[in-house]
């Protein structure tokens, strides 16, 4: 199992400094989330030769590897022009991953929850074009649902993944989205069990249960807003004892896949860079203690 750190919270640093910091916090792997100079949200990948050469040098210097890229594109419509552009972005991102020796790309369903049927049709249309390329290039594509995607629920998203019947497509469980995944119940054990053998990646962070009265206050009341956070373990309401117990029962730490190798677990803390010197290390140590008996 690869233990990675999502560098979004330190993306304002230089590439070299970003890699150095991850190494200093004791991580061997970086999860490269959307970065304005590499793989920006929704836009065409930038990743110029100067940036990626600096990245390669820094990885070698500090003994760190990229476990995975995260990309977010409008590949599930409903605007078909945007979908076509997103597929073009995907093709370039796959080329960049291959050049960097990265075998795993994870992503969100995107789309519009108010138009789920159209968005699902667009998503399958995109996958029909992309899956042959993903399989040819030896990429493991990991899919999660994100709040405000055309599908927000764990079981339905796992079914979408399973429907493709490909060793190259697996499921990602994002812990801070737990209460969106089952409409506020937070039954992590049941949801992980449902994902089953297709679970290849877990994002670790806590969050509050947004379905409870006044957990988050949005003004004016009733506006369309998707509020959640990626905070440190114990600062929210996720049942981490159940989560880690389920992962132990699944032997998640020892999973290996035909494509992309080992399972991945990523520290995915946002919003509080001032806490990272403590929380980045504490989260890694908790993962190691719970799943690797260290």
């Amino acid at each position: 199992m690869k233990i990675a750190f999502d560098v979004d919270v330190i993306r304002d640093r230089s590439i070299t400094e970003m890699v150095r910091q991850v190494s200093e916090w004791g991580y061997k792997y970086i999860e490269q989330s959307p970065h304005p100079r590499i793989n920006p949200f929704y836009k065409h990948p930038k990743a110029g030769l100067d940036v990626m050469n600096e990245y390669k040098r820094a990885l070698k210097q500090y003994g760190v590897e990229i476990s995975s890229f995260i990309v977010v594109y409008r590949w599930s419509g409903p605007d078909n022009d945007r979908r076509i552009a997103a597929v073009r972005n995907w093709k370039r991102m796959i080329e960049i991953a291959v050049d960097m020796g990265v075998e795993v790309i994870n992503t969100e369903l995107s789309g519009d929850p108010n138009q789920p049927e159209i968005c699902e049709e667009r998503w399958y249309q995109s996958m029909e074009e992309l899956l042959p390329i993903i399989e040819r290039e030896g990429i493991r594509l990991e899919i999660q649902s994100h709040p405000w995607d055309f599908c927000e629920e764990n079981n339905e998203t796992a079914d979408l993944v399973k429907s493709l019947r490909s060793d190259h497509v697996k499921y990602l469980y994002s812990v801070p989205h737990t209460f969106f995944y089952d409409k506020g119940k937070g039954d992590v054990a049941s949801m992980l069990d449902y994902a089953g053998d297709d679970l290849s990646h877990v994002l670790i962070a806590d969050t509050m249960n947004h379905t409870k009265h006044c957990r988050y206050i949005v003004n004016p009341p009733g506006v369309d807003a998707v509020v959640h956070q990626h905070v440190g373990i114990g600062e929210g309401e996720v049942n981490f004892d159940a989560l880690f117990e389920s992962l132990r029962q699944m032997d998640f730490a020892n999973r290996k896949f035909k494509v992309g190798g080992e399972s991945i677990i990523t520290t995915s803390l946002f919003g509080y860079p001032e806490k990272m010197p403590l929380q980045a290390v504490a989260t890694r140590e908790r993962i190691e203690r719970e799943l690797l008996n260290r």
Side-chain angles (χ1 to χ4, degrees):
M1 179 182 72
K2 297 177 180 178
I3 303 176
F5 185 83
D6 184 330
V7 290
D8 182 84
V9 74
I10 53 172
R11 67 177 178 173
D12 58 331
R13 306 188 187 192
S14 71
I15 300 297
T16 299
E17 175 60 17
M18 188 174 69
V19 175
R20 184 203 64 78
Q21 183 63 84
V22 170
S23 173
E24 185 176 290
W25 286 335
Y27 289 84
K28 301 298 183 184
Y29 296 95
I30 284 175
E31 176 139 290
Q32 183 55 67
S33 49
H35 187 287
R37 300 186 68 198
I38 302 170
N39 51 335
F41 279 103
Y42 305 116
K43 297 179 180 179
H44 193 273
K46 299 305 184 283
L49 285 176
D50 55 341
V51 172
M52 301 322 285
N53 286 337
E54 179 186 356
Y55 212 151
K56 289 176 181 178
R57 288 193 299 269
L59 292 171
K60 184 176 181 180
Q61 178 180 354
Y62 292 105
V64 177
E65 299 177 38
I66 300 175
S67 63
S68 40
F69 284 109
I70 304 176
V71 299
V72 183
Y73 300 131
R74 303 189 194 279
W75 63 324
S76 57
D79 183 324
N80 197 46
D81 287 341
R82 300 282 68 73
R83 187 199 67 80
I84 291 170
V87 169
R88 187 181 305 118
N89 296 345
W90 259 111
K91 291 176 181 178
R92 178 61 182 139
M93 196 63 224
I94 292 168
E95 292 175 352
I96 292 166
V98 171
D99 176 63
M100 293 294 291
V102 178
E103 296 179 310
V104 178
I105 304 176
N106 74 67
T107 191
E108 301 166 4
L109 287 174
S110 295
D112 180 350
N114 295 311
Q115 303 180 73
E117 292 182 20
I118 294 174
C119 291
E120 182 176 302
E121 291 166 2
R122 297 295 194 199
W123 181 76
Y124 275 111
Q125 189 176 0
S126 295
M127 285 302 304
E128 185 176 359
E129 186 172 351
L130 289 170
L131 188 54
I133 301 171
I134 288 165
E135 292 179 336
R136 183 189 71 215
E137 298 296 343
I139 296 294
R140 183 169 88 210
L141 171 63
E142 300 173 329
I143 295 173
Q144 63 162 304
S145 61
H146 190 279
W148 204 250
D149 282 0
F150 75 82
C151 171
E152 294 182 329
E153 295 184 24
N154 176 87
N155 292 7
E156 185 177 350
T157 304
D159 285 342
L160 288 169
V161 169
K162 295 170 188 289
S163 74
L164 296 170
R165 302 183 181 184
S166 174
D167 289 331
H168 292 256
V169 184
K170 295 298 175 186
Y171 182 68
L172 182 153
Y173 186 94
S174 180
V175 178
H177 304 159
T178 287
F179 299 109
F180 288 88
Y181 285 167
D182 64 355
K183 297 182 178 179
K185 293 190 290 290
D187 188 353
V188 292
S190 173
M191 290 188 282
L192 292 173
D193 182 66
Y194 193 91
D197 293 339
D198 288 288
L199 179 70
S200 63
H201 197 147
V202 176
L203 305 185
I204 295 292
D206 210 339
T207 194
M208 302 295 285
N209 186 346
H210 67 285
T211 70
K212 301 296 185 182
H213 182 61
C214 285
R215 286 296 194 269
Y216 298 101
I217 297 173
V218 180
N219 290 316
V223 301
D224 265 346
V226 180
V227 182
H228 74 289
Q229 186 51 280
H230 292 224
V231 294
I233 295 175
E235 294 185 353
E237 297 177 282
V238 174
N239 186 343
F240 275 92
D241 289 339
L243 176 87
F244 285 122
E245 178 60 27
S246 294
L247 293 175
R248 286 192 293 270
Q249 290 179 2
M250 301 171 80
D251 199 22
F252 182 79
N254 293 310
R255 287 191 168 186
K256 290 184 172 58
F257 297 88
K258 291 182 180 179
V259 182
E262 300 172 61
S263 58
I264 303 171
I265 192 163
T266 300
T267 297
S268 180
L269 303 175
F270 303 154
Y272 296 93
E274 66 274 15
K275 295 184 179 183
M276 287 308 101
L278 294 176
Q279 287 191 338
V281 175
T283 305
R284 174 183 55 76
E285 291 177 344
R286 176 77 182 269
I287 293 167
E288 291 172 344
R289 185 166 64 252
E290 296 277 5
L291 299 181
L292 299 177
N293 294 316
R294 292 182 185 171

